[in-house]
Amino acid sequence: MSGTDRPLVAEGVEIRTTEGRIIEITVGVEAASDAHVLQGVVFPAAANAHSHAFHRILRGRTHHDRGDFWVWREHMYRSASELTPDAYEQLATAVFTEMVVAGFSSVAEFHYVHHQPGGAPYPQRHAMELALARAAQAAGIRLTLLDTLYLAGGIGLPLGPEQNRFGDPDVHTWLDRLDSLRKEINKTFPSDMVNVGAALHSVRGVPEADLAIVAQKLPPDIPLHIHLSEQPAENAACLDAYGLTPTELLAQHGLLSPRLSAVHCTHLTEEDISALGNAAATIVMCPTTEADLADGIGPARALADAGACIALGTDQHAVIDPWLEMRALEYGERLHSGKRGRFSPDEMLLAATEGAASSMATPIAPASVQVGAVCDLVAIASASVRTAGSAPGQLPMTATAADVTEVVINGELVAKAGLHLRLGSPAKLLTSALNNFS
């Protein structure tokens, strides 16, 4: 449980809801005969602050010939080229269902596959975006659809043939399309379940002149995400072109603010860390992906100490498991520093819940068990082979998605014992969807 006037762990907790929000919490009571009793230790459901749904295709397919970055890149572009609105809706439904069963109730989808192969718009301008929104609705997960600006194949380089479907003719066309998409989503889907945010692919993918336009023209009421300093080559290219680090370039155009979510931030200078902390930006770490791609270990503890908000995401979905992301955050810090206890279990849980929720456009904050919050909950088995003997508050150090017994989203039970109550087995959904791709 969360809240300054309540214990962190309590037994016999009754939660009453209306319209998906918690209206009353009572501790130390017997369950009423008509109550649904969640089995295990109950936590706020996790929020996934960074996802590329189509990257789920890559799991277990990019490790031949030692699986270097170029093997991964080749598969990623091939998978992107094979997406159609129908195939993407089927795939994303399966991926979002996997997230729900693992204990996520919300996701920020960093979406850049906008157009047909070659770059021509679909006859329905927002065909791919609407496919993702329908997929989220089917799975019952809250979706922040981050429509992404992607204009360059590198600093000073045009988009490559494999990237043309990601781009727009210019930043003004993107801003117009973003505005149109927001209107379409708002009239078609409930705002507490599907909403639109914005993203810049990276300083490699958005020229400096367009960063300035985004800073001036982007509506102030939506979140902004960006991949930032993921690899040393990105920093070197930015320094060569502008004489600034990627963080300094964003700062120069007024883009560092509490609404910014900077993803990865693996290779930062001390000045970058201070700037992001002073801006109270959200830093989205994706530890299992950063390990899979050999990006490195980002300075999460230093960023948190500087004032940044730490969030967690699954990015390319090497695994979809908030508990493994939590532990990977702490284990990365331990490996880098040689010290234990860099993030406490409570801090790990906050990164996976309230921290990640702060990057969303759907109204879920605070992502905690308290009156007024949305009723998004996950129950964890306390006596599995992994969790037996664990203190309840230390389950972030032992549990996995396999220990999720039940998931509640918007006050409704949506998953139980590894199955989605409407859609069934995520494994079967994924197997069927992945047959569409080579």
Side-chain angles (χ1 to χ4, degrees):
M1 294 183 62
S2 175
T4 57
D5 60 341
R6 295 186 181 276
L8 291 176
V9 179
E11 296 182 357
V13 179
E14 181 182 67
I15 298 174
R16 294 186 177 273
T17 69
T18 185
E19 297 181 349
R21 288 193 175 268
I22 298 171
I23 59 170
E24 185 179 358
I25 299 175
T26 308
V27 177
V29 297
E30 295 291 331
S33 59
D34 61 345
H36 179 84
V37 180
L38 297 176
Q39 301 299 312
V41 181
V42 177
F43 294 88
N48 188 346
H50 190 66
S51 163
H52 301 294
F54 83 89
H55 284 200
R56 176 61 181 80
I57 300 167
L58 306 177
R59 186 189 296 177
R61 296 186 177 189
T62 64
H63 303 282
H64 59 280
D65 299 330
R66 290 196 163 186
D68 65 14
F69 173 76
W70 301 106
V71 169
W72 181 89
R73 185 176 186 268
E74 176 188 350
H75 278 263
M76 188 273 286
Y77 281 132
R78 184 169 71 215
S79 297
S81 73
E82 295 175 341
L83 292 170
T84 65
D86 287 345
Y88 206 2
E89 182 172 348
Q90 183 184 3
L91 174 65
T93 299
V95 174
F96 293 154
T97 300
E98 184 181 4
M99 289 183 195
V100 167
V101 170
F104 288 108
S105 69
S106 57
V107 59
E109 178 64 28
F110 200 109
H111 167 65
Y112 53 81
V113 189
H114 303 301
H115 309 302
Q116 299 179 70
Y122 283 98
Q124 159 46 272
R125 189 181 191 188
H126 305 301
M128 294 295 266
E129 292 74 30
L130 293 172
L132 287 167
R134 289 192 297 269
Q137 280 288 91
I141 197 168
R142 302 180 194 272
L143 173 67
T144 296
L145 182 57
L146 298 168
D147 196 87
T148 301
L149 177 63
Y150 201 147
L151 297 176
I155 296 176
L157 299 174
L159 292 172
E162 70 279 3
Q163 299 168 317
N164 282 333
R165 70 183 310 190
F166 307 161
D168 290 288
D170 53 53
V171 65
H172 299 288
T173 303
W174 173 72
L175 285 164
D176 177 71
R177 189 170 58 73
L178 176 66
D179 179 66
S180 173
L181 175 62
R182 293 183 76 193
K183 292 174 180 175
E184 183 74 18
I185 292 292
N186 286 342
K187 76 178 184 182
T188 308
F189 300 94
S191 62
D192 62 336
M193 295 302 295
V194 183
N195 224 313
V196 175
L200 312 175
H201 180 268
S202 60
V203 299
R204 294 177 292 107
V206 181
E208 181 182 18
D210 297 312
L211 292 176
I213 293 170
V214 170
Q216 295 169 4
K217 301 292 187 180
L218 188 69
D221 61 333
I222 60 175
L224 177 65
H225 290 224
I226 186 171
H227 296 123
L228 191 70
S229 290
E230 182 176 2
Q231 296 178 338
E234 174 189 346
N235 290 350
C238 192
L239 284 165
D240 287 346
Y242 307 120
L244 300 168
T245 67
T247 297
E248 290 169 340
L249 185 63
L250 296 184
Q252 181 166 287
H253 294 289
L255 289 168
L256 296 189
S257 75
R259 77 153 166 179
L260 181 73
S261 291
V263 183
H264 300 305
C265 295
T266 318
H267 302 280
L268 300 176
T269 66
E270 290 185 6
E271 291 77 14
D272 293 338
I273 293 169
S274 178
L276 289 161
N278 289 336
T282 295
I283 309 300
V284 184
M285 298 297 198
C286 305
T288 61
T289 288
E290 287 147 11
D292 182 81
L293 295 180
D295 286 340
I297 299 170
R301 183 69 263 167
L303 283 158
D305 291 343
C309 173
I310 304 299
L312 293 172
T314 63
D315 195 356
Q316 63 143 348
H317 315 310
V319 296
I320 292 179
D321 187 328
W323 308 92
L324 292 183
E325 298 294 345
M326 289 183 228
R327 283 206 289 289
L329 175 70
E330 168 62 8
Y331 287 168
E333 280 285 325
R334 291 183 182 189
L335 288 168
H336 182 72
S337 69
K339 298 177 181 179
R340 299 181 88 225
R342 303 285 284 173
F343 286 91
S344 70
D346 285 347
E347 289 174 311
M348 292 157 59
L349 185 65
L350 283 171
T353 56
E354 293 191 42
S358 69
S359 70
M360 305 287 184
T362 47
I364 55 177
S368 59
V369 184
Q370 64 184 55
V371 172
V374 296
C375 188
D376 290 5
L377 309 172
V378 59
I380 298 296
S382 60
S384 77
V385 69
R386 289 161 296 277
T387 62
S390 298
Q394 295 186 33
L395 284 170
M397 294 302 300
T398 60
T400 73
D403 300 308
V404 172
T405 60
E406 292 165 291
V407 180
V408 172
I409 300 177
N410 210 35
E412 296 185 7
L413 185 68
V414 295
K416 184 173 183 176
L419 297 176
H420 194 283
L421 295 188
R422 291 197 306 272
L423 301 179
S425 166
K428 290 182 178 179
L429 294 175
L430 286 161
T431 298
S432 177
L434 290 168
N435 285 334
N436 295 320
F437 304 94
S438 62

